[in-house]
Amino acid sequence: MRYSLLRLVAQAFKGHRGWTPAWRDPAPKPSYDVIVIGGGGHGLATAYYLAKNHGIRNVALLEKSYIGSGNAGRNTTIIRSNYLLPGNEPFYEHSMKLWEGLEQDLNYNAMVSQRGVLNLFHSDAQRDAAARRGNAMRLCGVDAELLLTDDVRRMAPFLDFDNARFPIHGGLLQRRGGTARHDAVVWGFARAASDLGVDIIQDCEVTGFIRQAGRVVGVETSRGEIRAQKVGMAVAGSTSRLANLVDLKLPIESHVLQAFVSEAIKPLIPGVITFGAGHFYISQSDKGSLVFGGDLDGYNSYAQRGNLPTVEHVAEEGVAIMPLIGRVRMLRSWGGVMDMSMDGSPIIDHTPIEGLYLNTGWCYGGFKATPASGWCFAHLLARDEPHEVARAYKLDRFATGHLIDEKGQGAMPNLH
Ligand SMILES: Cc1cc2nc3c(=O)[nH]c(=O)nc-3n(C[C@H](O)[C@H](O)[C@H](O)COP(=O)(O)OP(=O)(O)OC[C@H]3O[C@@H](n4cnc5c(N)ncnc54)[C@H](O)[C@@H]3O)c2cc1C
């Protein structure tokens, strides 16, 4: 059923009783061409592009809980393509272009809102680094603007410009960046994939892999065995657990990241603003809540909840950048389990085990990557070769030393 204004009006006359479910709820079949494990944004986008771009429709998407129950439904919804390194920039710009046409493509309102992403800087050295990043972006055809203090003051007069420790000297602005409603992205991909024939199977946990002559030929699940020619993993923070089932050791650590939402206030924040002297980012939802987050909790965990010291730390950063936030009440917070790679960049590649493919290492930043991640993972699964914008995301780069260390912090997953 296509969504449109006419359809809405027609349904209004019928008391909205004629809407069909957004996606089918099929029982698993004994076998498929491809199984994608993980019903987050990345898994669903992969299943959708397998069907749409490659005509591979005999696909099962297996999710242990409900779709969007992982990081896809827990993030702070920021999308941007302001990357520095050649391994990253074309990939994230590809993603940004897909975001720009996503709602028409999926026929679903994902509330993609290009309100701008502004990264503040607080010292001369940081300004030079921002100028360098902006220049690198523009060389790749991506929009970037270097703003000085007065420009930022006009955009966001409520910031603490003359803070003694962190005076604001300006910011790097990507106007095409912004936010998208995370769970609508999940639902939109699910509906579009299901329409093309993909079986979306919820409450179906993968508990083991079926192997024949070393090759993966299917999975064991809480709903029985399911066979497939190819199996792709897109399970974010659960990657190392799942890989353990097939004795695969990966350069991934799982860490908790928290997000916070305040009570709703009148429109205040024009886009996304990030603090340059700490890890703090904030935007305002359409309902009026301030949506913000900070750093990882700082220890390895598979729990989808965080600890109080990080709540205090993030609140302090918020007050340092915009003191008025001290008068706003915090409503909710939650945690997600991040798949932190050793260089802060993702992996989209074969594993050393035939028939098994890997999509992981998204760290803090995989929401913005959702469309391109699905596009490139589908390409790899369908053609057995990497997509050109994801060529650098190889698993063996940690052995060969071809790291993509966007932050220049070395093999410190807790800092990426
Ligand atoms: C608090 C927070 C804020 C963030 N903010 C941003 C942001 O502003 N911008 C940005 O770009 N990124 C952000 N991220 C990161 C982003 O959310 C993730 O990188 C991205 O969502 C990960 O991909 P995914 O959506 O496929 O993962 P998930 O949604 O976690 O999907 C993985 C799925 O696999 C399922 N699964 C696990 N094990 C199994 C199994 N054995 N069998 C079957 N299914 C299984 C899980 O239940 C889960 O649904 C944030 C993350 C968090 C937690």
Side-chain angles (χ1 to χ4, degrees):
M1 179 187 261
R2 274 195 74 73
Y3 295 159
S4 66
L5 184 61
L6 265 183
R7 178 86 67 186
L8 190 63
V9 173
Q11 285 296 332
F13 282 111
K14 292 184 202 159
H16 292 287
R17 278 188 287 272
W19 296 108
T20 54
W23 56 87
R24 295 171 294 110
D25 182 24
K29 294 192 289 193
S31 80
Y32 290 88
D33 293 341
V34 179
I35 287 175
V36 179
I37 312 172
H42 292 222
L44 287 158
T46 304
Y48 170 63
Y49 290 122
L50 271 171
K52 183 182 173 232
N53 294 358
H54 305 282
I56 302 175
R57 296 178 175 214
N58 187 22
V59 175
L61 181 291
L62 309 183
E63 165 54 47
K64 72 174 175 187
S65 175
Y66 59 90
I67 59 171
S69 54
N71 296 338
R74 291 165 182 267
N75 61 67
T76 40
T77 76
I78 301 167
I79 59 173
R80 58 184 172 88
S81 62
N82 53 359
Y83 279 72
L84 174 71
L85 298 182
N88 281 330
E89 183 56 46
F91 173 83
Y92 285 98
E93 180 55 15
H94 182 56
S95 208
M96 184 55 82
K97 292 209 171 90
L98 290 172
W99 282 114
E100 286 171 336
L102 194 73
E103 293 166 306
Q104 280 70 29
D105 184 30
L106 299 181
N107 178 231
Y108 203 88
N109 180 8
M111 295 168 71
V112 176
S113 172
Q114 293 180 288
R115 287 179 275 174
V117 171
L118 176 66
N119 303 129
L120 299 176
F121 50 79
H122 309 269
S123 66
D124 290 350
Q126 278 192 329
R127 185 200 52 225
D128 292 350
R132 179 167 168 249
R133 178 175 294 265
N135 285 334
M137 290 164 64
R138 290 174 80 139
L139 282 172
C140 286
V142 179
D143 67 306
E145 288 166 52
L146 195 71
L147 306 187
L148 297 180
T149 316
D150 285 346
D151 307 316
V152 177
R153 212 185 278 275
R154 273 192 293 278
M155 275 181 76
F158 50 84
L159 295 175
D160 189 3
F161 287 87
D162 304 317
N163 183 302
R165 285 179 74 197
F166 313 117
I168 295 171
H169 288 196
L172 183 66
L173 175 67
Q174 185 184 21
R175 288 193 195 270
R176 287 165 61 242
T179 56
R181 182 170 167 197
H182 48 14
D183 38 18
V185 173
V186 167
W187 301 329
F189 272 118
R191 173 171 167 271
S194 177
D195 275 356
L196 293 177
V198 171
D199 282 357
I200 292 166
I201 303 164
Q202 306 185 78
D203 289 320
C204 184
E205 178 169 4
V206 171
T207 52
F209 289 89
I210 309 168
R211 293 181 73 168
Q212 248 168 31
R215 191 189 162 92
V216 165
V217 293
V219 292
E220 290 153 15
T221 78
S222 51
R223 296 176 69 173
E225 275 190 15
I226 311 176
R227 303 247 162 185
Q229 291 164 21
K230 294 179 179 177
V231 177
M233 296 197 279
V235 293
S238 303
T239 304
S240 44
R241 278 179 159 177
L242 203 64
N244 202 30
L245 298 175
V246 75
D247 295 328
L248 195 59
K249 290 259 175 291
L250 294 174
I252 294 289
E253 285 184 12
S254 290
H255 285 261
V256 184
L257 179 67
Q258 299 191 55
F260 307 88
V261 163
S262 78
E263 62 186 327
I265 58 173
K266 286 183 181 171
L268 173 73
I269 301 185
V272 178
I273 299 178
T274 74
F275 188 27
H279 204 146
F280 179 84
Y281 34 93
I282 187 161
S283 63
Q284 189 165 15
S285 76
D286 291 356
K287 281 192 289 185
S289 302
L290 304 182
V291 180
F292 53 99
D295 236 324
L296 295 173
D297 271 30
Y299 49 86
N300 301 82
S301 174
Y302 291 112
Q304 287 180 317
R305 61 170 186 275
N307 254 323
L308 287 174
T310 304
V311 180
E312 187 180 6
H313 175 66
V314 171
E316 279 171 357
E317 290 185 295
V319 173
I321 187 180
M322 43 187 290
L324 61 76
I325 203 176
R327 297 178 58 196
V328 178
R329 277 171 294 194
M330 204 186 280
L331 275 194
R332 293 190 301 279
S333 70
W334 59 85
V337 188
M338 318 306 313
D339 38 334
M340 306 300 295
S341 67
M342 295 295 145
D343 61 359
S345 296
I347 300 163
I348 303 178
D349 203 358
H350 307 94
T351 69
I353 302 166
E354 229 184 304
L356 186 63
Y357 299 74
L358 184 62
N359 175 317
T360 188
W362 295 102
C363 303
Y364 298 141
F367 177 63
K368 71 177 96 69
T370 303
S373 166
W375 186 285
C376 295
F377 199 34
H379 186 281
L380 176 73
L381 282 159
R383 301 196 185 175
D384 265 314
E385 57 185 42
H387 188 278
E388 59 175 320
V389 298
R391 227 171 255 292
Y393 296 154
K394 287 171 72 71
L395 176 57
D396 72 1
R397 70 176 187 268
F398 302 96
T400 61
H402 293 93
L403 300 184
I404 316 165
D405 190 355
E406 181 78 24
K407 280 199 177 175
Q409 285 180 154
M412 303 285 284
N414 52 318
L415 297 180
H416 281 299

